[in-house]
């Protein structure tokens, strides 16, 4: 099951997958980092749909830990799943780590409901939101492995590949080490 997780170093806006996950903020109206890159490469259609979401169901914005999908515009993907990671704060570690895990679970659930079989994730919260990379990687990988292993029966069965797209060799190395540690723990 866990072999359906892959790690690549690269730019998430270039991935040919069904759904690309965006590390957004609760406004859904764009930002820096991977969010900025997705809107730039995907074009204005994505923002238009985000604005419509804000005008309808998501008037107060998207809560941390939740996920919602839009078109992928001009990206080589069908959908963008926007999720809002928590800002890192050591004093509230447990609660916020739970929210970070929720980003991965909710994004996979939304993607699977749309019919996506392949999903690409960035390292949510590990950039501007300041989550220590090694811990962000451990939470990301453990949560996705759990979903694929049947923690969410529907999402787990629907997904053929969950690809982590890591920006730069350093973040790629961090994920690779975290992945080896997790696999080691499984025996
Ligand atoms: N492809 C893959 N990963 C990328 C790309 C890319 N094109 N660009 C950056 N990354 P961040 P966050 C990596 O800051 O910490 C925005 O302003 C980046 O190197 O994008 O969740 C939002 O609007 C890092 O490893 O997301 C929010 O306000 C990872 O993606 C806030 O930033 C996540 O970094 C969210 O902060």
């Amino acid at each position: 099951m866990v072999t359906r997780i892959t790690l690549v170093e690269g730019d998430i806006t270039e991935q040919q997958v069904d759904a690309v996950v965006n590390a957004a903020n609760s406004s859904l109206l764009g930002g820096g980092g991977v969010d900025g890159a997705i809107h730039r490469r995907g074009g204005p259609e994505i923002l238009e749909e985000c604005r419509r979401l804000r005008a309808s169901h998501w008037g107060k914005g998207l809560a941390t830990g939740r996920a919602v999908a839009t078109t992928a515009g001009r990206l080589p993907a069908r959908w963008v799943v926007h999720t809002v990671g928590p800002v890192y704060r050591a004093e509230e570690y447990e609660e916020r780590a739970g929210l970070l895990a929720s980003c991965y679970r909710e994004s996979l659930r939304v993607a699977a409901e749309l019919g996506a079989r392949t999903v690409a994730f960035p390292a949510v919260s590990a950039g501007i939101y300041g989550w220590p990379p090694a811990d962000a990687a451990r939470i990301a990988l453990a949560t996705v492995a759990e979903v694929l292993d049947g923690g969410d029966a529907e999402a787990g069965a629907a997904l053929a590949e969950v690809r982590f797209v890591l920006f730069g060799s350093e973040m790629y190395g961090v994920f690779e080490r975290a992945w080896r540690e997790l696999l080691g723990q499984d025996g």
Side-chain angles (χ1 to χ4, degrees):
M1 289 282 188
V2 287
T3 54
R4 288 182 284 160
I5 292 178
T6 55
L7 310 181
V8 300
E9 183 186 336
D11 182 339
I12 205 165
T13 65
E14 294 171 1
Q15 304 298 311
Q16 306 219 344
V17 286
D18 295 326
V20 159
V21 177
N22 181 20
N25 61 64
S26 65
S27 81
L28 288 175
L29 301 178
V34 73
D35 194 9
I38 284 174
H39 282 284
R40 261 194 315 278
R41 287 288 292 267
E45 245 189 293
I46 301 176
L47 190 58
E48 278 163 27
E49 212 176 314
C50 286
R51 287 215 175 92
R52 282 199 294 275
L53 288 172
R54 287 298 309 275
S56 57
H57 208 73
W58 302 94
K60 290 185 180 153
L62 185 64
T64 305
R66 303 289 302 274
V68 67
T70 65
T71 172
R74 293 198 289 263
L75 295 178
R78 290 181 68 184
W79 301 284
V80 172
V81 175
H82 306 263
T83 192
V84 182
V87 173
Y88 182 73
R89 194 169 133 81
E91 296 79 4
E92 289 175 23
Y93 178 81
E94 290 302 330
E95 187 192 337
R96 293 188 186 210
L99 290 170
L100 183 54
S102 169
C103 288
Y104 289 96
R105 271 197 303 272
E106 288 290 298
S107 297
L108 290 177
R109 190 179 56 76
V110 167
E113 273 172 15
L114 287 166
R117 294 194 30 86
T118 52
V119 180
F121 277 102
V124 178
S125 287
I128 293 165
Y129 280 179
W131 207 285
D135 196 55
R138 185 187 59 75
I139 292 169
L141 291 162
T143 306
V144 171
E146 193 184 307
V147 171
L148 293 180
D149 280 342
D152 178 332
E154 271 166 48
L159 296 162
E161 183 192 356
V162 177
R163 186 183 306 170
F164 286 94
V165 182
L166 293 326
F167 209 49
S169 58
E170 219 168 291
M171 191 62 87
Y172 177 80
V174 166
F175 267 71
E176 206 184 34
R177 275 191 295 281
W179 188 220
R180 263 194 259 117
E181 273 167 30
L182 274 174
L183 289 176
Q185 275 173 19
D186 286 351

